[in-house]
Each structure stands twice: as C-alpha cells, then as structure tokens.
C-alpha cells in the first residue's frame, strides 16, 4: 500500500531540485525492486535493512553469496548510521512514521543539520481508512512535540490516504 500524500511530497521535492531517498526498515533487496516503479526513486537511492554477503570465487566464476544474518537492521539508531554510510551527510528534510519509535533517531539526525531543516512525522490516527497502530506510550509523538517536529494527522490532514 502506498500513501498518496507521500507520492505528492516526493514529486514536489524532485520538481524543486531535491534528491529523494527511501530509508526503510524493509530489506534493500525488496525496496530496490519496487522503489522506481512505485515511488520514482532509483534503486541506488534506497537505504534499508541489509543481509550479509560474501564474495566467492571457488568455481572460477565471480559470485556473491548471501550469508545468514543481517549486516544491519535499518531501524532506530541504525537509520542515521546507514544514512551516513549511503549519503554521507544529514538530510535537510526527513519524514518518518509514528509506531515503534523507529524513525525518531533519523528525525533527530536531520534536525542536527547546519542548514534549515524540516522533520515530519505521520501520526497513524485514522483507524477508519488504515490499520490502526499508534504507540501505546506515544513516544514518537511526545518527542515530536519536544523537538518541534511537524506532526501530520492521517485523520485530519490527509484527504486521500492510499493511491487508488
């Protein structure tokens, strides 16, 4: 499921000269396959959870073999680290989701930018149009208020939730 307002924001940013990235907890293998088609984001601009790999040349054919385990789980404190690895600088705009406090560190990282910046957090408060999964402790929204991030209410701010 793809959020219509997310696509609108991505289109607006690109039309105004911004380079856009996806920073997801999903695996890069999955996200890179769908990122161009659904979000207009090239595969090389996807940051996500990564499996471990190893170079193998035992048969005379250069090959990359996937190993068990993860190289990085792109969530919480790992998101800023992976942004640094892949982009090499802090984003001036970051948008995250309320739910599990998985994006708050990415938003704080963006907020530490030396340039003016914007942090957006989507409050999943519309159980009529989307699966309801707000945090019971409201950690993400509490930090959003504390650090003056813009809170987007799906219920109040989005006319359309999903792409039709």
């Amino acid at each position: 499921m793809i959020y219509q307002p997310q696509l609108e924001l991505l289109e607006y940013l690109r039309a105004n000269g911004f380079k856009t990235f996806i920073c997801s907890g999903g695996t890069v293998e999955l996200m890179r396959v769908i990122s161009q088609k659904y979000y207009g984001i090239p595969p090389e601009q996807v940051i996500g959870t990564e499996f471990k790999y190893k170079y193998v040349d035992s048969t005379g054919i250069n090959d990359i073999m996937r190993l068990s385990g993860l190289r990085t789980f792109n969530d919480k404190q790992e998101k800023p680290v992976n942004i640094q690895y892949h982009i090499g600088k802090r984003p001036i705009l970051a948008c995250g989701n309320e739910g599990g406090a998985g994006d708050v560190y990415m938003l704080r990282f963006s907020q530490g930018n030396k340039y003016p910046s914007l942090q957006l957090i989507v409050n999943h408060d519309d159980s009529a149009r989307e699966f309801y999964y707000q945090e019971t402790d409201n950690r993400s929204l509490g930090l959003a208020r504390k650090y003056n991030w813009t809170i987007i209410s799906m219920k109040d701010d989005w006319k359309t939730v999903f792409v039709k």
Side-chain angles (χ1 to χ4, degrees):
M1 293 191 272
I2 300 165
Y3 298 129
Q4 180 65 38
Q6 179 183 25
L7 294 181
E8 292 169 5
L9 176 60
L10 289 168
E11 287 174 22
Y12 176 83
L13 291 170
R14 287 191 293 265
N16 286 280
F18 286 85
K19 188 173 185 178
T20 57
F21 289 80
I22 290 178
C23 187
S24 173
T27 65
V28 292
E29 285 80 0
L30 169 66
M31 297 306 296
R32 286 179 178 158
V33 170
I34 67 170
S35 65
Q36 184 72 53
K37 180 179 179 180
Y38 294 110
Y39 301 102
I41 295 178
E44 64 273 12
Q45 290 170 216
V46 172
I47 302 166
T49 296
E50 298 176 10
F51 293 106
K52 291 180 183 178
Y53 288 92
K54 174 178 147 182
Y55 173 74
V56 179
D57 192 16
S58 60
T59 63
I61 299 172
N62 297 339
D63 206 5
I64 301 292
M65 183 173 77
R66 190 165 105 183
L67 305 173
S68 63
L70 297 176
R71 189 186 77 73
T72 183
F73 179 57
N74 195 47
D75 196 32
K76 298 184 172 55
Q77 292 95 331
E78 285 299 302
K79 280 195 175 190
V81 171
N82 288 323
I83 290 169
Q84 182 63 33
Y85 281 142
H86 291 272
I87 303 173
K89 57 185 173 182
R90 293 174 191 255
I92 60 169
L93 187 152
C95 183
N97 291 292
E98 178 251 351
D103 291 331
V104 297
Y105 300 97
M106 173 182 68
L107 297 170
R108 284 292 288 156
F109 183 60
S110 169
Q111 193 170 28
N113 204 310
K114 65 182 180 179
Y115 301 104
S117 63
L118 176 64
Q119 295 72 41
L120 306 170
I121 190 157
V122 178
N123 182 1
H124 295 265
D125 60 352
D126 191 340
S127 61
R129 297 185 296 168
E130 190 211 26
F131 179 74
Y132 186 81
Y133 64 92
Q134 284 188 294
E135 297 166 345
T136 55
D137 64 359
N138 289 316
R139 181 159 189 259
S140 295
L141 297 178
L143 290 170
R145 288 181 196 90
K146 177 179 179 180
Y147 295 119
N148 297 311
W149 303 334
T150 300
I151 299 171
I152 301 165
S153 165
M154 288 180 117
K155 185 178 180 182
D156 299 330
D157 298 327
W158 286 5
K159 186 176 185 176
T160 302
V161 175
F162 296 111
V163 173
K164 294 182 181 184

